[in-house]
Amino acid sequence: MYLTRWEERALAGEFGEALRLAMEIVVRVGEFCGAQKLIPVSHAHVSGVSIFNIGEYGLEFLEDLARRGARVSIYTTANPASIALSSVGATLYDKRVVDAQRRVVEALIRMGVEPRSFTCAPHLLREPSPREHLAWAESSAVILANSVFGARTNREGGLLALAAAIAGRTYEAGMHLDENRVPTEIIDARSIALESVLEASLLGLAIGSVTGGVPFVELSKPLRFEHPWSRLLLRNLLASIATTSSSPLAIVDGVYPERVELCSARERISIDVSELSRFLEGECRSSVALIGCPHMDCEELLELCRRISRSRYSRGIQRVLATIPQNLASECIDRARSILSARGIELVVAPSTCAVVSRLEPLSPEILTPHGKALHYIPKLAGVRACPMRV
Amino acid sequence: MSNACVELKAKVWSPGNKVVEGAPLVVEESISFLGDVDPERGVIRSIGAELRGRILVARGFRGSTVGSYILYAMSKRGVAPKAIVFRELDPVVVAGCVASSIPMAWCPSLDLSIAKNATLAAVDPRNSVVRLCS
């Protein structure tokens, strides 16, 4: 691999052990992935924050790295913690778990991670520019950055993203090269009405299960990122594609900011409404609903709460748990709360957290959610049943 | 070294460019470091096999970010494998091996049923090969 003089010196340890290790990780992963050189990145986003996910060994690594003086060299955000850190969580989990979770967050902040981040929607803190190179982990954020903003990022593992944050560089392969940003197939989903977050989610899960890498998606109606409801549908569609596939990019017709050639697409696959039910593990009911996977901005949250309050399917819901970015204005939360309370539903917010990566048995044995990513991961990671919520 | 050896082309990384050899531990299924491995003892739970001193030869790996940290934990406790050879590339494991100074080799032509009969495995960064001897 070609390295600049500075990169060689960093790799030789001239600027300290922490930078040497970070550079070594980025260079070796790059070599194994066939990269010819490194490229500077302007924003890294680190995953692997939940204590239920990385465990005591992840905590140990992060604390060791911080102790060895590792510091990020570029703007760096991090994924949400588990809900052990929220006021709800403090009552649900053992004090040791809560403490360990806090130490993970503290170690990351010591290394220079933006303390106001801890969200799976880093675009809310810093919007990516077209063609900008990033080193993001977190599948839902990666697919958004590539597919909507036209930025360039692979779907990094948490450790690689952290190493890239310290080195200020990542390896040039995959999504950083235009030749890989071409459709592998055309997905025809024009027969699906796309009228709910659940429907957009199920479609996304279906697309993810058939795509060969970069789907070109045709929908029944244009989705616009500028419009809150449309944005909610689009973000859930994309996050769900990234749930059942390793796709870092989906080219949604009318959304992707660049011109694309379709000749690379080998086949045309139609998905109709009958195929969506395959991704429902069966109906169930619960008095607890979860929203905010991925994290929503204020407009999206209010829009979803309005739809919940109007929906006939919301009968029986007593409590809505919303995982949110920590910088969401308190006026916004108050408005969401009053929308839901008019329907007799209590809103509980859990800032900077993700419920999907938390053990949820202490909360409820069954949880309603409209989000595809949550429907997929909750039974696997959170240990409870996920019920589809039609909204 | 015995006579019956096969050499397979591989992408190899080893700290200090050292050749590493040892008794292979062959696992034909993909391994998830979270769950399948006990990082305190360095043991693959399903088969009760110790990793220390062995060259782990595996089809590939499942799971995410946490795999890197499990490798690091094993290395710190002195119970990590001597090297890891895999057929399917997983960048998370590559990052984890570097962070833990565990030599590794990616060997796309690896045939696990043949590897099963090997009594000695070597990971050679100088010649970019994996050697399996029986």
Side-chain angles (χ1 to χ4, degrees):
Chain A
M1 184 189 287
Y2 167 80
L3 296 178
T4 65
R5 183 79 196 104
W6 184 88
E7 288 163 355
E8 275 177 356
R9 293 175 63 191
L11 192 59
E14 283 188 36
F15 310 123
E17 168 54 22
L19 182 56
R20 185 206 63 77
L21 179 65
M23 195 60 97
E24 182 100 50
I25 291 172
V26 174
V27 168
R28 299 312 162 204
V29 171
E31 279 179 351
F32 272 69
C33 294
Q36 306 289 315
K37 63 180 174 92
L38 303 182
I39 38 164
V41 286
S42 36
H43 177 178
H45 180 75
V46 177
S47 70
V49 179
S50 165
I51 192 68
F52 296 103
N53 173 7
I54 62 166
E56 55 183 306
Y57 305 111
L59 170 62
E60 183 178 322
F61 177 82
L62 294 173
E63 287 191 332
D64 285 356
L65 195 61
R67 202 174 305 119
R68 284 152 81 176
R71 295 294 177 268
V72 305
S73 64
I74 54 172
Y75 183 69
T76 304
T77 49
N79 249 4
S82 68
I83 61 170
L85 269 201
S86 68
S87 50
V88 203
T91 63
L92 295 178
Y93 304 103
D94 195 88
K95 186 177 173 301
R96 281 209 328 263
V97 172
V98 177
D99 281 347
Q101 181 62 80
R102 183 169 300 114
R103 281 165 58 196
V104 170
V105 169
E106 286 168 357
L108 288 168
I109 292 175
R110 265 204 305 287
M111 287 189 270
V113 166
E114 167 63 71
R116 294 178 306 124
S117 63
F118 299 96
T119 176
C120 48
H123 71 283
L124 298 177
L125 287 137
R126 181 188 178 283
E127 198 165 285
S129 316
R131 311 193 81 87
E132 179 182 43
H133 294 280
L134 313 168
W136 283 14
E138 170 51 36
S139 64
S140 67
V142 166
I143 198 169
L144 185 73
N146 280 313
S147 313
V148 172
F149 296 106
R152 268 81 176 124
T153 175
N154 286 321
R155 202 164 136 171
E156 315 285 22
L159 178 54
L160 192 284
L162 184 56
I166 296 164
R169 287 153 171 73
T170 191
Y171 56 95
E172 189 187 50
M175 287 297 109
H176 296 286
L177 300 170
D178 284 356
E179 70 212 48
N180 299 319
R181 301 175 64 92
V182 292
T184 47
E185 68 281 311
I186 298 170
I187 305 280
D188 181 353
R190 288 175 301 171
S191 66
I192 291 169
L194 218 59
E195 270 163 353
S196 66
V197 171
L198 181 65
E199 208 176 16
S201 291
L202 296 177
L203 174 59
L205 296 175
I207 293 171
S209 70
V210 296
T211 183
V214 181
F216 179 90
V217 185
E218 296 175 342
L219 298 173
S220 59
K221 57 182 172 200
L223 292 182
R224 294 278 169 261
F225 194 73
E226 299 71 38
H227 181 273
W229 176 244
S230 200
R231 180 161 74 238
L232 203 49
L233 296 178
L234 180 60
R235 288 190 58 209
N236 278 275
L237 174 77
L238 293 173
S240 302
I241 293 173
T243 297
T244 44
S245 74
S246 55
S247 293
L249 167 66
I251 299 176
V252 179
D253 198 12
V255 172
Y256 190 57
E258 292 165 41
R259 244 180 64 81
V260 281
E261 295 291 344
L262 285 178
C263 43
S264 58
R266 284 186 300 272
E267 52 178 336
R268 193 176 181 88
I269 303 170
S270 292
I271 295 179
D272 62 40
V273 81
S274 67
E275 283 158 77
L276 302 190
S277 56
R278 193 153 71 80
F279 297 91
L280 292 174
E281 280 198 14
E283 303 282 328
C284 50
R285 304 192 63 81
S286 174
S287 62
V288 181
L290 166 74
I291 59 171
C293 175
H295 280 177
M296 296 179 281
D297 62 38
C298 179
E299 288 180 327
E300 292 165 344
L301 173 68
L302 294 177
E303 185 64 36
L304 189 59
C305 287
R306 262 180 230 119
R307 306 254 173 174
I308 292 171
S309 74
R310 282 191 228 127
S311 166
R312 64 194 167 94
Y313 296 108
S314 301
R315 216 174 320 137
I317 298 177
Q318 290 168 7
R319 200 145 63 120
V320 168
L321 173 66
T323 49
I324 57 170
Q326 60 180 302
N327 62 347
L328 212 58
S330 58
E331 300 86 55
C332 179
I333 299 164
D334 290 344
R335 282 175 65 194
R337 185 167 281 133
S338 68
I339 292 169
L340 289 178
S341 70
R343 180 74 191 258
I345 301 171
E346 181 198 6
L347 175 69
V348 181
V349 294
S352 319
T353 63
C354 168
V356 171
V357 292
S358 311
R359 300 302 296 183
L360 294 178
E361 296 98 329
L363 191 65
S364 169
E366 279 151 351
I367 290 178
L368 281 160
T369 186
H371 305 296
K373 183 170 182 177
L375 283 168
H376 180 87
Y377 281 118
I378 282 177
K380 293 183 171 64
L381 300 179
V384 302
R385 209 160 162 217
C387 317
M389 179 182 183
R390 279 169 216 292
V391 60
Chain B
M1 198 180 282
S2 103
N3 294 330
C5 293
V6 285
E7 281 196 347
L8 302 167
K9 269 193 73 67
K11 207 159 233 176
V12 182
W13 176 80
S14 174
N17 248 6
K18 279 205 241 5
V19 179
V20 179
E21 52 178 53
L25 174 66
V26 180
V27 181
E28 290 188 75
E29 301 84 47
S30 289
I31 301 171
S32 166
F33 281 110
L34 177 63
D36 292 353
V37 172
D38 172 359
E40 293 294 336
R41 298 183 300 136
V43 165
I44 299 185
R45 289 195 175 101
S46 59
I47 49 176
E50 251 185 68
L51 290 161
R52 176 163 53 185
R54 310 286 291 274
I55 305 233
L56 174 62
V57 180
R59 174 182 303 274
F61 305 94
R62 291 176 283 117
S64 64
T65 298
V66 66
S68 315
Y69 301 138
I70 302 274
L71 284 168
Y72 176 76
M74 287 197 290
S75 167
K76 223 178 124 181
R77 284 159 182 72
V79 296
K82 252 180 143 173
I84 301 181
V85 176
F86 42 86
R87 194 173 77 188
E88 285 154 23
L89 178 66
D90 179 355
V92 165
V93 171
V94 175
C97 282
V98 176
S100 322
S101 300
I102 300 171
M104 63 184 148
W106 174 31
C107 188
S109 63
L110 180 68
D111 185 330
L112 289 142
S113 55
I114 290 174
K116 268 200 104 118
N117 299 319
T119 51
L120 188 76
V123 166
D124 180 349
R126 292 169 202 167
N127 298 300
S128 296
V129 292
V130 167
R131 250 188 310 278
L132 294 170
C133 305
S134 52

